[in-house]
Structure formats: structure tokens, C-alpha cells
């Protein structure tokens, strides 16, 4: 391997497919909320590997869980029961709602499983098979999930689209009701749109959608790949949605990914028991799903979040950040809106910036840009308060350069 960054990047380009818009930076080490590149430069990580490293880099509890499990049982396939997956499923049930787990590698795979289960609910005979989702949504990059995703850029180049998927605008209940027909099996939504620019579902809208699904026997599927695992200040994003009696407006299925594996490939479809029982042997599977090492680490993620009180920590730091950023005078004329929940935040800019992520790296902070003008912030939820403030300071310094451009 080349010692210099430039040579290494050129070497990488010769062997890697260029489907990612990679920056010319080589990360070589991480610890907690910090990253170091091949040149030795230190960064505060405010994006946590697209939200995956929910407890930061190289958390000792996760290292121990992986090491202990690797020395005990590596992988046996799903012909047998294993202990770690049952422990994890019990934690999900305790933190969510009564249900059953299907384990896979990613949120995309979990979404595929949920879509199949929505059809099975109605016999899988083709009478009810359609899915309605939202514009500006993102559900993955398989052919079916490309069709489910409400972003023309994701769909481009993959015609003809997989049939049966329709999108409507977030919050447009009249449009949603019109899109539902006698063949609709599932309504699929993110509690907070991630790729779409950090847009939360309005509470009244959620209540009306739940009512519509109940009335028509439609499966309500929440894609919690971004919002699951404590990032929003609650275990799951939908837990912010309460009815008039303070009861959570639950989905029939939720799908998880990213954070729940702590950075390892874990996807989960969690379905209410009456639906879960329909996924009998032969209907779906995943060869390496519920890998014991991944399950042990995911179990440790839940254990650590609970033990360290990180839900409250994420909520507190998120509230602090929104107040600070909204009141930052240096961002006047640069930032149009600050929104989100917990440590899942979006800063909508007044214009489309150039090279913003690289500017962030120059200031020693890792950030992300989506929808061309929304800065997306999603650090590890155990980031210390002082480090969070320092990271926000570097973010402000980065954004302030836009006013000078």
C-alpha cells in the first residue's frame, strides 16, 4: 500500500468502482467521536458513517462483544437458534412494541422483507400488492426500493420502473387518500426523512394515516433505518407521535438498519405478531442474517444506550444545538432553517454551496450535504457535550465561509 494519500487514492481508483463520490481523504483511525486521516489530521465526526457508528468509533463495549462472540461462535446459518439474536430481539420488543424480528444485513433488505410481508397479509395472490410512499423519501437501491423512493435522481437510469409503487407529497392527506386504491397493500414512510432533507411527519398527518390504514386494512410501514436506535432522543422516531391520550401511534412494521449494528451490517424487520406469523419457511431468508458477531454487537449497542442514559443525552444535545444554530449571527443569510430531533439535524441553506463537505474537512469536522442545500448532522449519540460544542463551532466556521464566497 502507498504511504502517501495522493498515491493511495490513485491506487484505489484502479481497483474500486467509482459509484461513490469519495473525497481525496483516507481515514485510518477512529476513537469515540474523533477520526484521523492518513496525513495525521484529526476530525470531529458529526456524521458517524451515515449514522451507523451510533456509539462512535471503537467503543470498548462493542469491541468486547465482538471479540467474545468471535471466540465462541462465528456463524452457523439460520437452521439453528443462536443466543445473541434472541437477546437482541427481546431488547427490541422491550423498547418498541410486541412483535417478531427478521434479521438481515441492511435497511434495504429489511424494507424488501417488509414489502413482501405487506403482500402476504392479503394472501399474496396479487389482489393487494401496491405500495404508496412519499416524495423526497429514500428506501434503498434495489430495483423495488428505487421504485419506492421518491427521488428522481435515484430512479434515473433504471427504467422501466418496478410496477406498483406510487409517491405523494409529505403531509398531503388528500393526495395520499386519492393514491390509495383497492390494490394498495402498504403505506411506507420515514418518521423523519433523511435523504429528503430532515423533514418530520406532522403529528396530525400521522394520526390520519394510521386511521386510514386501519379503515382499509392497509399495512403501515415505518422505515426507521435512520431514526431507529436512539438517534432522535427516543428509541424509535415513531415514538414521538402520540395520540390525544398520550399513546404512541405505532406502525404495523418498522424497519431498522444503520445505528442498530453500531457500524456493523445489521438490518431488522420488526413486525406485529399477526403479520410476522405469515413469513413461514420458504417465504424469505438471508444466509448470513443474524450473524452471531453482528447480533452480539447490536445487543451491546442497546445495552450501552440504556446503561449510559443516551436517549436523554441525545435529546438534550439536539435541543441545545437547534437553539445555538438558530441564534448564530454569523449564519444570518446563510442558513434558512434548522430542524430535526435529537442528534438527527438538518440545516437548510439559502443557496447550494460548493465543496461544502471538503470545507468542513479543512476545518476539522465531518459533515454531509443532502438535497444540494441541506447540511445533515448525525454524530455518535454519546458524543461528550464539550466535543459537541466544539464540533458545532467548527460547523459554524465552515458555514461562515459561504458568506464570504
Amino acid at each position: 500500500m502507498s504511504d502517501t494519500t495522493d498515491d493511495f487514492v490513485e491506487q484505489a481508483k484502479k481497483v474500486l468502482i467509482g459509484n461513490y463520490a469519495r473525497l481525496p481523504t483516507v481515514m485510518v483511525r477512529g476513537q469515540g467521536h474523533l477520526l484521523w486521516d492518513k496525513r495525521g489530521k484529526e476530525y470531529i465526526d458529526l456524521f458517524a458513517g451515515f449514522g451507523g457508528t451510533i456509539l462512535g468509533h471503537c467503543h470498548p463495549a462493542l469491541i468486547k462483544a465482538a471479540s467474545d462472540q468471535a471466540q465462541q461462535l462465528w456463524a452457523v446459518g439460520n437452521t439453528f437458534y443462536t443466543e445473541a439474536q434472541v437477546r437482541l430481539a427481546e431488547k427490541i420488543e422491550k423498547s418498541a412494541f410486541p412483535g417478531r424480528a427478521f434479521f438481515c444485513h441492511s435497511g434495504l433488505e429489511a424494507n424488501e422483507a417488509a414489502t413482501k410481508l405487506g403482500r402476504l397479509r392479503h394472501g399474496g395472490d396479487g389482489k393487494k400488492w401496491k405500495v404508496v410512499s412519499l416524495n423526497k423519501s429514500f428506501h434503498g437501491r434495489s430495483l423495488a426500493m428505487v421504485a419506492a423512493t421518491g427521488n428522481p435522481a435515484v430512479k434515473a437510469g433504471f427504467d422501466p420502473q418496478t410496477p406498483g409503487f406510487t409517491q405523494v407529497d409529505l403531509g398531503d392527506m388528500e393526495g395520499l387518500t386519492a393514491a390509495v386504491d383497492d390494490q394498495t397493500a402498504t403505506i411506507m414512510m420515514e418518521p423523519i426523512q433523511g435523504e429528503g432533507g430532515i423533514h418530520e411527519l406532522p403529528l396530525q398527518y400521522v394520526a390520519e394515516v394510521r386511521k386510514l390504514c386501519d379503515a382499509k386494512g392497509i399495512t403501515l410501514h415505518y422505515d426507521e433505518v435512520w431514526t431507529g436506535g436512539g438517534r432522535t432522543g427516543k428509541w424509535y422516531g415513531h415514538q414521538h407521535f402520540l395520540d390525544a391520550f398520550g399513546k404512541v401511534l405505532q406502525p404495523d412494521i418498522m424497519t431498522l438498519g444503520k445505528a442498530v449494528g453500531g457500524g456493523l451490517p445489521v438490518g431488522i424487520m420488526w413486525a406485529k405478531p399477526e403479520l410476522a406469523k405469515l413469513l413461514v419457511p420458504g417465504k424469505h431468508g438471508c444466509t448470513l442474517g443474524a450473524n452471531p458477531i453482528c447480533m452480539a454487537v447490536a445487543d451491546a449497542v442497546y445495552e450501552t444506550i440504556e446503561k449510559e442514559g443516551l436517549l436523554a443525552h441525545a435529546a438534550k444535545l439536539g435541543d441545545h444545538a437547534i437553539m445555538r444554530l438558530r441564534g448564530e449571527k454569523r449564519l444570518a443569510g446563510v442558513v434558512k432553517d434548522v430542524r430535526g430531533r435529537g442528534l438527527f439535524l438538518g440545516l437548510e441553506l439559502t443557496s447550494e454551496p460548493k465543496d461544502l463537505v471538503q470545507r468542513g474537512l479543512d476545518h476539522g469536522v465531518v459533515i454531509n450535504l443532502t438535497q444540494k442545500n441541506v447540511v445533515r448532522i448525525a454524530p455518535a449519540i454519546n458524543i461528550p457535550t464539550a466535543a459537541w460544542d466544539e464540533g458545532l463551532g467548527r460547523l459554524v466556521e465552515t458555514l461562515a465561509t459561504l458568506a464570504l464566497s
Side-chain angles (χ1 to χ4, degrees), residues 214-226:
D214 290 340
K216 293 185 174 292
I218 295 171
T219 297
L220 179 56
H221 166 198
Y222 279 144
D223 178 342
E224 296 250 22
V225 174
W226 260 112

Side-chain angles (χ1 to χ4, degrees), residues 352-393:
E352 296 179 10
K354 183 179 180 181
D355 301 325
L356 182 66
V357 177
Q358 181 61 58
R359 293 189 195 207
L361 294 180
D362 294 341
H363 284 82
V365 62
V366 178
I367 57 176
N368 175 260
L369 190 71
T370 189
Q371 293 293 307
K372 296 183 179 181
N373 72 326
V374 178
V375 181
R376 194 165 42 166
I377 304 300
I381 64 171
N382 61 342
I383 186 171
T385 302
W388 178 232
D389 269 325
E390 173 63 22
L392 291 177

Side-chain angles (χ1 to χ4, degrees), residues 148-230:
T149 291
N151 182 342
V154 173
K155 297 176 183 293
F158 299 107
D159 288 332
Q161 296 292 306
T162 302
F165 295 89
T166 303
Q167 286 82 51
V168 298
D169 288 342
L170 186 157
D172 179 6
M173 195 63 203
E174 183 177 344
L176 177 63
T177 302
V180 168
D181 61 25
D182 291 340
Q183 293 180 309
T184 301
T186 299
I187 294 176
M188 183 180 188
M189 299 177 169
E190 301 159 275
I192 302 176
Q193 291 184 332
E195 291 289 329
I198 317 298
H199 295 287
E200 185 174 9
L201 299 178
L203 176 57
Q204 184 58 38
Y205 179 66
V206 170
E208 291 176 4
V209 172
R210 179 70 271 180
K211 184 178 179 180
L212 174 67
C213 288
D214 290 340
K216 293 185 174 292
I218 295 171
T219 297
L220 179 56
H221 166 198
Y222 279 144
D223 178 342
E224 296 250 22
V225 174
W226 260 112
T227 52

Side-chain angles (χ1 to χ4, degrees), residues 78-98:
N78 287 304
T79 303
F80 307 98
Y81 293 100
T82 56
E83 294 176 337
Q85 66 174 303
V86 175
R87 292 198 305 268
L88 175 58
E90 289 175 342
K91 286 185 172 62
I92 297 171
E93 181 158 65
K94 180 181 177 182
S95 59
F97 52 86

Side-chain angles (χ1 to χ4, degrees), residues 323-335 396 399-400 403:
M323 289 184 62
R324 175 178 174 180
L325 294 170
R326 285 178 176 172
E328 178 57 64
K329 294 181 179 179
R330 285 177 291 178
L331 300 184
V334 175
V335 174
V396 170
L399 294 176

